[in-house]
Amino acid sequence: MNVLLDHLSEFREGFLGTIGLTLASGLLAMLLGTILAGFRVSPVPPLRYFGTAWVTLFRNTPLTLLFLVIWFAVPQVLDFGFSPWIKALIVLSCYTSSFVCEAVRSGISTVPLGQAEAARSIGMSFFQTLGLVILPQAVRTVLPPLSSIFIALTKNSAIAGAFSVTELFGWQKLLSDQGYPIAWVFLWVALGYLVITFAISILFRVLERTMEVAR
């Protein structure tokens, strides 16, 4: 307990850092993944190719490698002077968006084809049909896999701690270097992640129940 109480401010800073990074990258990944899902089911071939290439690239590349690329390889070509937090946001968002894309695309495929045909028959464009007819019906199917994706995102954010980003896992390295018992340090860090992932799980359960009632 002394490990936590003596460094409560650092733990709180790391805990809030993990929440902030997870929330920001999750929202960006959700937006980007939904757009990419639209690309993947688009009747326009270049959009489909782009969406497929994006998902193939990011789903099959180790996340640690992506961090290394944006930290060390990209600055040799394009150095925009981004902060470590922004770099971590970009990596986590792009990586997670590929999984969000596939989850949303799977949800789109569960909507009967007749819904899209009816919308197009009254003059709706593809993107109007997708946004106003298809996606609202696909939400209930998409929620369960999205819950798992965002829980995984929370745990993936720990990698950012090794790249000078203030977050929960980076806090354990600081205390371990100071000679504190590593078992207790890891215990408190694990409990911190457990609180965050449990909150995400509850949030999505509430959303699922709300959508079931609305249905």
Side-chain angles (χ1 to χ4, degrees):
M1 181 63 72
N2 289 337
V3 175
L4 177 64
L5 295 179
D6 292 345
H7 296 272
L8 186 60
S9 61
E10 291 91 340
F11 181 83
R12 182 175 61 249
E13 184 180 3
F15 184 77
L16 294 177
T18 295
I19 292 177
L21 183 59
T22 300
L23 181 61
S25 55
L27 291 174
L28 188 55
M30 190 67 202
L31 175 62
L32 185 57
T34 303
I35 294 173
L36 290 169
F39 285 1
R40 294 212 64 187
V41 298
S42 169
V44 182
L47 295 181
R48 290 202 308 271
Y49 299 152
F50 178 83
T52 300
W54 182 282
V55 171
T56 301
L57 173 63
F58 285 101
R59 287 192 71 183
N60 295 287
T61 303
L63 181 57
T64 304
L65 179 58
L66 293 176
F67 270 93
L68 291 172
V69 167
I70 197 170
W71 246 263
F72 302 110
V74 172
Q76 295 182 2
V77 180
L78 298 171
D79 190 2
F80 295 105
F82 290 153
S83 67
W85 193 90
I86 295 296
K87 291 180 180 179
L89 174 65
I90 294 172
V91 173
L92 290 171
S93 300
C94 292
Y95 180 79
T96 307
S97 69
S98 64
F99 294 91
V100 172
C101 172
E102 290 301 277
V104 173
R105 187 171 70 93
S106 297
I108 291 173
S109 67
T110 64
V111 179
L113 183 60
Q115 297 287 326
E117 292 176 344
R120 296 300 295 272
S121 69
I122 61 175
M124 284 188 175
S125 67
F126 168 76
F127 288 106
Q128 286 177 324
T129 301
L130 184 65
L132 300 177
V133 178
I134 305 300
L135 287 178
Q137 297 183 65
V139 169
R140 288 186 292 270
T141 307
V142 171
L143 285 177
L146 284 182
S147 175
S148 299
I149 290 171
F150 288 126
I151 288 174
L153 169 61
T154 303
K155 294 181 285 187
N156 288 337
S157 68
I159 299 177
F163 292 88
S164 303
V165 178
T166 300
E167 58 84 52
L168 195 55
F169 192 72
W171 177 77
Q172 66 80 27
K173 185 178 184 300
L174 172 65
L175 295 187
S176 297
D177 291 343
Q178 292 179 5
Y180 284 92
I182 193 169
W184 287 106
V185 173
F186 277 127
L187 174 63
W188 290 116
V189 170
L191 288 176
Y193 281 109
L194 181 62
V195 169
I196 298 173
T197 56
F198 188 67
I200 293 174
S201 179
I202 291 177
L203 173 62
F204 275 89
R205 286 180 184 177
V206 171
L207 290 174
E208 289 176 38
R209 291 176 182 175
T210 302
M211 296 304 297
E212 288 176 355
V213 171
R215 184 176 182 181

